[in-house]
Each structure stands twice: as structure tokens, then as C-alpha cells.
Amino acid sequence: MASYRGTLIVLEGVGRAGNTTQGHWLVTALCSSGHRAKMLRFPERSTETSKLLNSYLEKKTELEDHSVHLFFSANRWEQVPLIKAKLNQGVNLVLNRYAFSGVAFTSVKENISLNWCKQSDVGLPKPDLILFLQLQLLDAAARGEFGLERYETGTLQEQVPLCFQQLMKGENLNWKVVDGSRSIEDVHEEVRVLSKDAIHSDAQSPLEELWK
Ligand code: 2DT
Ligand code: MG
């Protein structure tokens, strides 16, 4: 009998799109319907590299733009053994942000190309499904003030979605855009159905490498 692996699902979004809530709801729904599932988030804020990233995001440290990009990428690579092990055990993984956030948030900076940004993440485990929770800036603003962290500003929240649009074009990746302006329940239902479809169709196919 063919062995099956877990499905790699990524949640991306900008502003107050609700990735974290949707991630938790999805994992709960999958587990209660008999699947094994776990959420990981990027940046993973508990490892050695993350101390630097936390302090950068909290605006306590300044770092050169290319350099911090590579730290975000390293923060993903250090989780790859865990990601592969879990998938091999048949655990479905829900990643709250991944390389796409990495590229989108760095490439809006001056003099850093989208192509340069992608290079350090080439070869990461390729997601089976990328759910982009879309929120218009006005809807995001209506959900309350942005936080105090770096990147939580209106201008950036306008530019970053355009980078995500770029990333959705042309590559052989399974993107689904989900309207994040609806209620948590409605968004969850769509996220759940799309994830279940992916789990059923990808269980037998080998894990591939991103952007390779
Ligand atoms: P939250 O933890 O609130 O989502 O904020 N970021 C994230 C990057 O600049 N590069 C990356 O590679 C990743 C994964 C986006 C995390 C912030 O960190 C930014 C928002
Ligand atoms: Mg935040």
C-alpha cells in the first residue's frame, strides 16, 4: 500500500486578515474530523535566530535590509527537518506565513528585487496549498489600529499585497485567494473546504521543492 504524507498548507495575508485565528480554527477542525494537524508560525519566535528577529520587529534593533531578510529565511530553514518529519508521519501542517511573506515584506524595500528575495528560500518544502486571505486596506483599518511593530503601517500594508499579486503569477503553485473581509465563520468554512480538498488530492504525491 502506498504510504501517505501530511499536506503542507500555508496561510498568508496582510494586515488584520486573521491568519492566526484561521490557522487555529483550521487545525481544530481538521483534528476533530480525524486528521492529524499542527500549526507552525513564521517567524518562529522561540529559536536562536528569532531573538534577533523579535527585537527587529519590535523596533529595538536596526539591521541591514538584506541581512535581516536572510535571518527570516534562516528561521524557516531551521524548521525544515521538523516540517519534513511531521509530513512524513502523516501530520498535516498549517504554516502561518512562509517564504511568500519573506519575499513580499523585503521586496518593497528600496533596491531589493523580487528575484533576489526569492533565492534564499529556493528549495524549501513546497506548499500543496497557499491560502491568501485578502483584505482591503479600509477593511483592515476598520478592524482597529495597527500594532506598534515594524511593518504595521498603512503605506506598507498597501504595497505588500502588490508583491503577493506578483508572486501569484506564473509560478507552478496552488494559490487560492480567500475574501478575508467576511465573518470568521464564513472565512473558516472556505479555508476548511479548500484544505480538505488539498489533503485528499496531495496525500500520495511526493513533496516538492519551492521555486526550483
Ligand atoms: P506577525 O507575527 O504578526 O504575523 O508579524 N515578516 C514575516 C517578514 O518581514 N519576513 C518574513 O520572512 C516573515 C515570515 C511580516 C510578523 C511580521 O514579520 C514580517 C509581519
Ligand atoms: Mg503582528
Side-chain angles (χ1 to χ4, degrees), residues 40-178:
L40 301 178
R41 65 181 298 206
F42 291 109
E44 163 53 56
R45 296 200 187 212
S46 68
T47 62
E48 279 301 310
T49 52
S50 70
K51 288 184 190 153
L52 203 133
L53 294 174
N54 284 339
S55 138
Y56 177 78
L57 286 170
E58 290 163 9
K59 294 191 264 195
K60 291 178 183 153
T61 334
E62 292 303 318
L63 289 165
E64 199 278 331
D65 293 337
H66 299 79
S67 164
V68 73
H69 180 80
L70 297 175
F71 275 107
F72 273 110
S73 182
N75 181 257
R76 284 183 280 280
W77 279 105
E78 64 189 359
Q79 299 300 316
V80 168
L82 176 76
I83 292 175
K84 288 188 171 167
K86 289 286 170 202
L87 294 175
N88 282 333
Q89 291 160 16
V91 179
N92 300 291
L93 291 180
V94 177
L95 307 185
N96 185 2
R97 299 191 183 281
Y98 199 43
F100 314 100
S101 273
V103 173
F105 282 84
T106 301
S107 69
V108 296
K109 295 178 176 176
E110 249 166 86
N111 287 321
I112 306 189
S113 73
L114 194 86
N115 196 41
W116 186 88
C117 292
K118 285 162 78 176
Q119 300 315 310
S120 54
D121 289 303
V122 169
L124 281 176
K126 178 179 163 179
D128 298 299
L129 173 65
I130 310 155
L131 296 163
F132 183 72
L133 303 189
Q134 194 160 43
L135 203 59
Q136 302 303 319
L137 196 59
L138 280 177
D139 295 322
R143 289 186 180 186
E145 286 297 304
F146 288 121
L148 297 170
E149 286 205 335
R150 198 182 292 272
Y151 300 139
E152 295 185 330
T153 66
T155 330
L156 221 98
Q157 306 287 327
E158 254 173 272
Q159 294 170 339
V160 169
L162 303 176
C163 286
F164 277 110
Q165 300 298 335
Q166 277 300 113
L167 288 173
M168 287 179 210
K169 283 187 212 146
E171 301 283 347
N172 178 26
L173 290 165
N174 184 20
W175 285 90
K176 298 276 190 244
V177 177
V178 174

